[in-house]
């Protein structure tokens, strides 16, 4: 076959090249041979993993590997309690991850399930119904209204054929299809009007086409291939955890080795003792609860988001939303209602808003009658069914409380002249009180050529050249606003037309008016766009629809400034004309990307990601799926979205409401902030433990045993840390700029806070230990050392829990208005304090934890030392806020 695209080739040449015949089709034998050679007309099965594989994959994380290594060493050295606790955390985390993966739908299989079960084909000169999977290239297929196109076709016949392709191209209205050869080359999918695409819907007319692509060779197969080949993007959260795990690994190994060597050089400890000490350091340094706390915090976030109609399919997506810089949104069904609506009326040669016309009288009433009569819409239990522009005309009548059923009964259709893409008109004939009325609708310029009179204020007058020119000007004005304009006219005749031809019926018409229609924006979206901008997020429109339509909607929503319409809008063909490097360099100039194909959407997402931006992409169609998968977070529509788009997404909007994304972003920012708080709390505590053990080793003191460290971590790393995960959002969270891809958990002052608060805690613990030795309660040396160790142990535990109050804000005071709003945190803190104290207060537990019973004096020292962390941190924060203007 020739190199030029099939839409640029004559249909006869295509049939010859495919060795088939429009009347006879393929022979059964030839169809069988082609089937055996090329396989069934279906999409490839996507690769799937078993539950066992999913479970094993959970252990490929570096932090998990460190924990497993620590558990193994602990088990070999006899610290079974430590080993069991660490393993329990790892396994629970893995099970939760498998559960989340198992729930996710498979995007490729969803594409496969969309295929139509049967197709009407011509084989051996006979029309027959075959399974769509049995179609082969060269089959001749008949299409009628209501059919799903079973494969990619080159049309060879078309009679008023219209195909709805919104899920593939993003265009909101059905496309008029023709069989003629197209002259232009490099046309986007939506402009290839002599082709039919697999899984699109025939809404009107009929046609015949020859199969030019099946299975993975179709446009829908091309998208499936893109989904199959796309790599899973690593979320900022996952990247942060990997980076944190690497840093902790090196630190832990370094500290453990130094401690081991120093201990041996001092000569006071055996190799086994120092190995246990090193394990203590490892247990102290590793935030064992972090994976579980991150998972639980994300899970709690998903629950809150679900209550606001945002359903999260992949846990890390919750946090990713909070770092979003760019929201690239499809237009049709996402920013707009995917429902054509009458917005403007042109009656008496004047424009008026359709919603502000009040009761319809005179010419308005006449126009409304024609809208209803010249219409093929059907009313069903599921609402209005038909061409979206025609259902919009019926909806207009219903909105104005007009009894159209009575109109249909009094004036039934007795004849019609169907719409034709060449003359661009449709006419119907109905009985009238004194004969018949012929109604005509179609392209305004064509209609005005055939009109000689005009109805104005209920009176019929001649259509002058001045009025005709004014009406053509109005038509142009409405078109620049991206409105789809239809003209309406009529004429009264005494008798039924002798023949239903355009020459007889469609002349000497009385012009009635224009109707301007558009797929309107969702009412809440403009406010959501404004909120996104206030949060430092750049909303963009990425759509397969026409440039003018996209730009008009973008201006109405605030995505595009009218002054930037010539510079900030780019089409798919413009993108193709640029080199990869040129497009990547200029991508920041554009807010609207129109007439783009699925591969363009992926290219746009990738270009922004190369700029270091975190990209969220929304959409509802098959054409959006590759971009949804490529984006840092893909957001699908739950109501209008295809299963394919949902399968490729990270999050689904249950209410299809763009505004829900803004609420989800707020939740995402809160989740990240809360993970930061938990991390600051855990790492500051662990740093205090490491420094304390290291210094104790250097000074030759008794060191905190692994069971002590484990108990502190068990008590402090669970309930208080989890409770930090549901802290309410800090004031002004949606007024800050996105933190971006480069930010880490340690940014925003968290890293320095971990260091100085960890050192502070260690200094206080060591001071308590030193004081207890300097002023002992017991004279015996071994009892004094045990008391000192117990006081250091309790001080460290209590102080860590008191510091949980401090980490609610990096720079803000704990005495703010929402300091104790989190009731779960309050109870968690109280419960942890009681449990921590129990091992000392309850005598039978003392030997198990190597602690002694403390008297009132010793408890007073412990409590004062523990509470001192609040006082000192508050003073430091006050200095940071007043002198360094932090927070």
């Amino acid at each position: 076959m020739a190199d030029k695209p099939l839409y640029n080739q004559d249909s006869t040449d295509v049939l010859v090249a495919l060795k088939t015949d429009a009347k006879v089709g393929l022979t059964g034998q030839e169809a069988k041979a082609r089937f055996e050679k090329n396989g069934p007309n279906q999409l490839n099965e996507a690769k799937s993993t078993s539950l066992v594989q999913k479970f094993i994959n959970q252990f490929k994380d570096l932090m998990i590997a460190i924990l497993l290594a620590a558990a193994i060493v602990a088990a070999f050295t006899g610290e079974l309690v430590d080993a069991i606790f660490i393993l329990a955390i790892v396994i629970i985390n893995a099970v939760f991850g498998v559960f989340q993966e198992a729930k996710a739908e498979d995007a490729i299989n969803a594409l496969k399930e969309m295929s139509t079960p049967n197709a009407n084909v011509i084989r051996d000169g006979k029309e027959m119904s075959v399974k769509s999977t049995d179609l082969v290239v060269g089959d001749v297929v008949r299409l009628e209204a209501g059919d799903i196109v079973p494969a990619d076709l080159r049309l060879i016949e078309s009679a008023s054929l219209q195909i709805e392709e919104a899920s593939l191209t993003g265009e909101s209205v059905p496309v008029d299809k023709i069989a003629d050869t197209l002259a232009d080359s490099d046309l986007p999918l939506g402009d290839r009007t002599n082709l039919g695409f697999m899984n699109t819907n025939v809404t009107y007319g009929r046609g015949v086409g020859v199969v030019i692509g099946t299975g993975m060779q179709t446009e829908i197969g091309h998208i499936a291939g893109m989904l199959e080949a796309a790599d899973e993007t690593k979320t900022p959260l996952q990247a942060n955890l990997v980076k944190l795990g690497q840093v902790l690994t090196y630190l832990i190994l370094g500290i453990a080795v130094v401690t081991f060597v120093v201990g041996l050089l001092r000569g006071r400890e055996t190799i086994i003792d120092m190995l246990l000490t090193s394990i203590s350091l490892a247990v102290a340094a590793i935030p064992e609860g972090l994976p579980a706390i991150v998972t639980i915090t994300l899970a709690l976030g998903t629950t809150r988001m679900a209550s606001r109609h945002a359903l999260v399919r992949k846990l890390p997506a919750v946090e990713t939303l909070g770092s979003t810089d760019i929201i690239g949104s499809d237009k049709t069904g996402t920013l707009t209602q995917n429902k054509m609506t009458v917005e403007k009326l042109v009656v008496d040669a004047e424009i008026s808003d359709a919603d502000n016309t009040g009761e319809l009288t005179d010419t308005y009433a006449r126009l409304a009658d024609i809208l209803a009569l010249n219409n093929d819409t059907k009313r069903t239990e599921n609402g209005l069914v038909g061409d979206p522009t025609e259902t919009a005309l019926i909806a207009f009548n219903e909105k104005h409380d007009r009894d159209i059923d009575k109109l249909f009964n009094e004036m039934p259709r007795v004849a019609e002249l169907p719409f034709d893409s060449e003359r661009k008109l449709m006419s119907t004939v109905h009985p009238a009180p004194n004969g018949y009325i012929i109604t005509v609708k179609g392209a305004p310029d064509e209609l005005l050529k055939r009109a000689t009179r005009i109805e104005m204020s209920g009176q019929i007058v001649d259509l002058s050249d001045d009025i005709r020119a004014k009406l053509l000007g109005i038509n142009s004005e409405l078109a620049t606003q991206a409105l789809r304009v239809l003209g309406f006219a009529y004429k009264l005749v005494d008798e039924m037309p002798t023949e239903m031809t355009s020459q007889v019926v469609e002349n000497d018409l009385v012009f009635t008016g224009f109707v301007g229609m558009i797929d309107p924006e969702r009412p809440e979206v403009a406010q959501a766009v404004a909120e996104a901008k206030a949060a430092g997020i750049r909303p963009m429109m990425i759509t397969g629809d026409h440039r003018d339509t996209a730009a008009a909607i973008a201006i109405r929503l605030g995505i595009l400034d009218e002054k930037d319409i010539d510079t900030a809008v780019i089409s798919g063909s413009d993108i193709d004309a640029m080199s990869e490097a040129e497009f990547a360099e200029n991508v920041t100039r554009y807010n609207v990307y129109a007439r783009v194909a699925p591969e363009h959407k992926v290219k746009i997402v990738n270009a922004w990601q190369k700029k270091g931006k975190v990209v969220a992409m929304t959409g509802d169609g098959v054409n959006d799926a590759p971009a949804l998968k490529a984006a840092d977070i893909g957001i699908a529509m739950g109501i209008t979205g295809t299963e394919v788009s949902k399968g490729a997404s990270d999050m689904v909007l249950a209410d299809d409401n763009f505004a829900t994304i803004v609420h989800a972003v707020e939740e995402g920012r809160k989740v990240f902030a809360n993970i930061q708080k938990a991390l600051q709390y855990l790492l500051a505590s662990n740093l205090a433990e490491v420094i304390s053990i290291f210094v104790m080793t250097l000074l030759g003191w008794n060191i905190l045993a692994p069971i002590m460290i484990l108990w502190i971590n068990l008590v402090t790393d669970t309930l208080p840390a989890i409770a930090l995960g549901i802290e309410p959002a800090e004031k002004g969270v949606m007024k800050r700029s996105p933190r971006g891809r480069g930010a880490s958990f340690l940014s925003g002052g968290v890293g320095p806070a971990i260091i100085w608060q960890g050192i502070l805690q260690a200094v206080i613990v060591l001071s308590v230990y030193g004081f207890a030795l300097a002023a002992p309660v017991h004279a015996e040396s071994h009892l004094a050392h045990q008391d000192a160790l117990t006081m250091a142990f309790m001080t460290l535990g209590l102080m860590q829990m008191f510091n949980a109050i401090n980490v609610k804000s990096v720079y803000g005071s704990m005495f703010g208005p929402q300091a104790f709003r989190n009731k779960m945190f309050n109870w968690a803190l109280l419960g942890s304090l009681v449990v921590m104290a129990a091992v000392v207060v309850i005598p039978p537990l003392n030997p198990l934890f190597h602690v002694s019973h403390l008297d009132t004096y010793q408890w007073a020292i412990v409590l004062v030392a523990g509470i001192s962390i609040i006082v000192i941190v508050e003073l430091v924060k006050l200095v940071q806020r007043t002198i360094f203007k932090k927070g």
Side-chain angles (χ1 to χ4, degrees):
M1 198 178 293
D3 289 336
K4 63 181 179 179
L6 292 175
Y7 54 81
N8 290 146
Q9 299 180 40
D10 185 80
S11 59
T12 306
D13 295 336
V14 174
L15 289 166
V16 170
L18 295 176
K19 298 178 182 177
T20 188
D21 185 274
K23 302 298 182 187
V24 180
L26 297 173
T27 64
Q29 187 176 0
E30 177 63 20
K32 183 178 179 182
R34 294 188 184 190
F35 182 87
E36 289 175 352
K37 180 181 179 182
N38 300 313
N41 175 34
Q42 63 186 30
L43 305 179
N44 293 343
E45 292 276 4
K47 298 170 187 173
S48 59
T49 55
S50 67
L51 281 176
V52 174
Q53 287 173 309
K54 286 186 174 76
F55 187 76
I56 292 170
N57 288 339
Q58 303 301 315
F59 295 90
K60 293 180 179 178
D61 180 83
L62 183 59
M63 282 286 290
I64 299 297
I66 296 170
L67 290 174
L68 284 175
I72 292 169
V73 173
F76 273 112
T77 53
E79 298 295 334
L80 291 177
V81 179
D82 295 33
I84 291 169
F85 175 65
I86 295 169
L87 282 174
I89 286 176
V90 169
I91 291 170
I92 290 169
N93 191 58
V95 169
F96 203 93
V98 169
F99 176 71
Q100 284 295 318
E101 277 191 46
K103 286 201 309 178
E105 302 91 353
D106 192 320
I108 308 300
N109 288 339
L111 267 171
K112 186 170 178 283
E113 290 166 6
M114 286 177 62
S115 301
T116 178
N118 292 294
N120 296 317
V121 303
I122 299 170
R123 285 185 182 170
D124 294 314
K126 299 174 184 177
E127 186 171 334
M128 60 181 70
S129 179
V130 302
K131 288 183 178 179
S132 65
T133 53
D134 293 338
L135 285 181
V136 295
V137 172
D139 264 327
V140 177
V141 177
R142 290 193 181 278
L143 299 174
E144 294 182 351
D147 286 350
I148 298 174
V149 180
D152 281 6
L153 310 173
R154 168 63 166 89
L155 297 171
I156 54 180
E157 290 180 28
S158 175
S160 304
L161 181 64
Q162 294 183 340
I163 299 180
E164 191 268 310
E165 299 175 341
S167 68
L168 184 65
T169 66
E171 189 163 356
S172 52
V173 294
V175 179
D176 294 325
K177 293 293 184 177
I178 60 174
D180 300 341
T181 304
L182 302 178
D184 294 338
S185 58
D186 296 325
L187 292 173
L189 283 182
D191 292 336
R192 299 174 191 177
T193 52
N194 58 8
L195 300 185
F197 302 109
M198 186 178 182
N199 290 343
T200 56
N201 302 298
V202 180
T203 60
Y204 193 81
R206 55 187 173 78
V208 178
V210 59
V211 175
I212 57 174
T214 60
M216 295 301 287
Q217 304 307 310
T218 61
E219 289 297 333
I220 206 87
H222 174 58
I223 291 174
M226 291 171 67
L227 282 173
E228 208 170 24
D231 295 326
E232 287 289 339
T233 53
K234 186 164 283 188
T235 68
L237 174 68
Q238 292 165 324
N240 267 320
L241 287 175
V242 168
K243 194 185 299 180
L244 180 64
Q246 291 170 340
V247 171
L248 287 177
T249 302
Y250 299 135
L251 286 175
I252 291 164
L253 291 175
I255 293 169
V257 168
V258 169
T259 305
F260 185 80
V261 171
V262 168
L264 290 180
L265 289 175
R266 292 183 77 256
R268 293 178 55 185
E269 305 288 347
T270 66
I271 290 177
I272 293 298
D273 288 336
M274 288 315 303
L275 192 58
L276 286 172
T277 301
S278 297
I279 290 171
S280 296
L281 274 171
V283 171
I286 297 173
E288 297 96 335
L290 181 61
I293 287 162
V294 168
T295 302
I296 292 167
T297 303
L298 292 172
L300 292 170
T302 65
T303 304
R304 290 191 297 270
M305 290 169 77
S307 68
R308 302 182 82 168
H309 309 294
L311 310 177
V312 175
R313 297 180 64 250
K314 299 174 184 176
L315 276 185
V318 181
E319 181 275 333
T320 308
L321 272 165
S323 59
T324 299
D325 297 287
I326 305 289
I327 298 178
S329 178
D330 179 47
K331 178 185 75 69
T332 306
T334 307
L335 299 174
T336 65
Q337 300 174 27
N338 198 16
K339 181 177 68 177
M340 293 299 286
T341 303
V342 175
E343 186 165 278
K344 300 289 184 183
L345 298 180
V346 179
V347 174
D348 301 339
E350 298 294 339
I351 303 175
S352 60
D353 290 330
D355 291 338
N356 298 330
T357 52
E359 185 180 352
L360 303 179
T361 59
D362 297 333
T363 308
Y364 285 100
R366 173 79 74 181
L367 177 61
D369 286 346
I370 299 173
L371 302 186
L373 294 172
N374 197 305
N375 203 304
D376 289 328
T377 298
K378 300 289 188 292
R379 187 186 279 110
T380 68
E381 293 179 358
N382 298 320
L384 301 175
V385 176
D387 183 281
T389 56
E390 294 197 329
T391 58
L393 302 178
I394 296 297
F396 172 80
N397 271 279
E398 291 182 341
K399 191 172 184 178
H400 286 80
D401 299 322
R402 293 178 58 78
D403 190 348
I404 53 176
D405 290 329
K406 180 182 177 184
L407 179 68
F408 294 152
N409 290 331
E410 291 177 352
M411 305 176 72
R413 186 184 302 185
V414 294
E416 66 181 286
L417 191 57
F419 176 84
D420 185 289
S421 58
E422 291 185 10
R423 73 180 207 289
K424 299 180 181 178
L425 297 172
M426 172 181 171
S427 297
T428 61
V429 183
H430 309 263
N434 298 309
Y436 295 87
I437 181 172
I438 298 172
T439 70
V440 186
K441 78 173 176 194
D445 51 348
E446 290 295 327
L447 199 66
L448 285 170
K449 290 177 186 176
R450 300 162 189 256
T452 56
R453 292 165 293 166
I454 181 171
E455 182 171 324
M456 301 186 74
S457 303
Q459 302 297 313
I460 297 174
V461 299
D462 289 338
L463 181 57
S464 67
D465 290 341
D466 288 344
I467 295 177
R468 192 187 305 272
K470 183 178 180 182
L471 289 169
L472 288 171
I474 289 173
N475 177 41
S476 298
E477 180 185 341
L478 295 178
T480 58
Q481 298 173 30
L483 295 174
R484 187 175 190 188
V485 185
L486 280 179
F488 294 85
Y490 73 97
K491 69 175 177 180
L492 299 172
V493 295
D494 296 331
E495 299 177 350
M496 273 285 292
T498 54
E499 54 180 317
M500 289 299 293
T501 64
S502 181
Q503 291 79 6
V504 172
V505 174
E506 296 168 344
N507 59 52
D508 194 26
L509 301 175
V510 179
F511 178 80
T512 314
F514 292 152
V515 167
M517 289 175 287
I518 198 167
D519 176 13
E521 67 274 20
R522 291 175 175 272
E524 69 283 342
V525 171
Q527 176 64 26
V529 167
E531 289 178 18
K533 285 184 172 182
I537 300 168
R538 182 171 178 173
M540 301 183 312
M541 183 188 291
I542 305 174
T543 177
D545 217 334
H546 291 281
R547 182 188 183 109
D548 291 345
T549 305
I553 293 292
I555 289 170
R556 289 161 67 147
L557 291 173
I559 292 173
L560 179 68
D561 289 332
E562 196 161 0
K563 63 181 174 60
D564 297 328
I565 196 167
D566 294 326
T567 56
V569 183
I570 188 173
S571 67
S573 56
D574 296 331
I575 295 173
D576 287 333
M578 293 183 182
S579 67
E580 194 88 27
E582 187 182 1
F583 177 66
E585 185 181 337
N586 292 303
V587 70
T588 56
R589 292 171 50 190
Y590 309 114
N591 277 4
V592 176
Y593 303 81
R595 217 63 177 148
V596 292
E599 54 267 33
H600 292 135
K601 295 186 178 187
V602 174
K603 193 173 182 180
I604 293 162
V605 169
N606 290 340
W608 278 105
Q609 288 173 330
K610 286 174 183 174
K611 293 282 186 184
K613 301 297 184 183
V614 177
V615 181
M617 176 71 191
T618 75
D620 64 347
V622 175
N623 60 318
D624 299 314
L628 293 179
K629 191 169 183 181
D632 295 288
I633 176 163
I635 305 168
M637 301 295 116
I639 300 172
T640 59
T642 60
E643 287 304 308
V644 185
S645 63
K646 293 175 189 174
S649 69
D650 303 294
M651 188 176 89
V652 177
L653 301 184
D655 58 356
D656 281 16
N657 190 336
F658 183 86
T660 302
I661 299 172
V662 178
H663 300 319
V665 168
E666 181 179 1
E667 190 62 47
R669 291 188 175 188
K670 182 167 76 173
V671 164
F672 181 82
N674 287 349
I675 291 175
Q676 271 193 314
K677 291 169 187 174
L679 188 69
Q680 180 185 340
Y681 169 60
L682 294 175
L683 292 187
S685 300
N686 289 13
L687 180 61
E689 293 166 7
V690 168
I691 293 173
S692 298
I693 293 173
F694 185 68
V695 173
M696 284 175 167
T697 304
L698 290 178
L699 297 177
W701 290 352
N702 291 347
I703 63 168
L704 297 166
I707 189 70
M708 289 179 168
I709 297 296
L710 187 70
W711 184 249
I712 290 174
N713 288 356
L714 177 63
V715 174
T716 62
D717 289 10
T718 50
L719 292 181
I722 291 169
L724 283 170
I726 58 170
E727 275 292 299
E730 289 186 56
K731 187 177 179 182
V733 70
M734 287 300 284
K735 298 297 181 185
R736 302 171 189 164
S737 296
R739 63 181 182 275
R741 190 178 297 278
S744 72
F745 285 127
L746 305 180
S747 60
V750 172
I754 289 172
I755 293 170
W756 72 261
Q757 289 176 17
I759 293 172
L760 175 63
Q761 290 180 60
V763 168
I764 294 172
V765 168
L766 293 170
S767 299
V768 168
Y769 189 97
F771 179 80
L773 286 181
V777 172
H778 297 95
E780 297 90 339
S781 176
H782 74 281
L783 291 177
H785 276 89
Q786 191 173 26
D787 283 352
L789 197 61
T790 302
M791 291 171 69
F793 165 63
M794 286 307 303
T795 300
L796 183 59
L798 297 185
M799 188 165 47
Q800 286 184 12
M801 284 181 272
F802 288 132
N803 197 46
I805 302 172
N806 293 325
V807 303
K808 288 188 175 190
S809 175
V810 177
Y811 300 113
S813 171
M814 64 165 282
F815 300 107
Q818 61 181 44
F820 297 99
R821 272 178 55 196
N822 185 350
K823 292 181 180 178
M824 179 180 171
F825 176 85
N826 300 339
W827 284 110
L829 194 64
L830 182 61
S832 297
L833 287 168
V834 170
V835 171
M836 185 68 205
V839 299
V840 174
V841 173
I842 301 173
L845 295 178
N846 293 171
L848 181 63
F849 290 92
H850 312 297
V851 296
S852 59
H853 200 73
L854 301 180
D855 63 17
T856 305
Y857 167 72
Q858 291 169 319
W859 268 115
I861 294 171
V862 168
L863 287 172
V864 169
I867 293 171
S868 69
I869 191 75
I870 295 177
V871 178
I872 297 169
V873 171
E874 277 293 307
L875 290 172
V876 172
K877 285 183 180 181
L878 180 63
V879 171
Q880 289 175 322
R881 289 195 304 271
T882 54
I883 298 177
F884 300 106
K885 306 299 180 186
K886 297 287 188 179

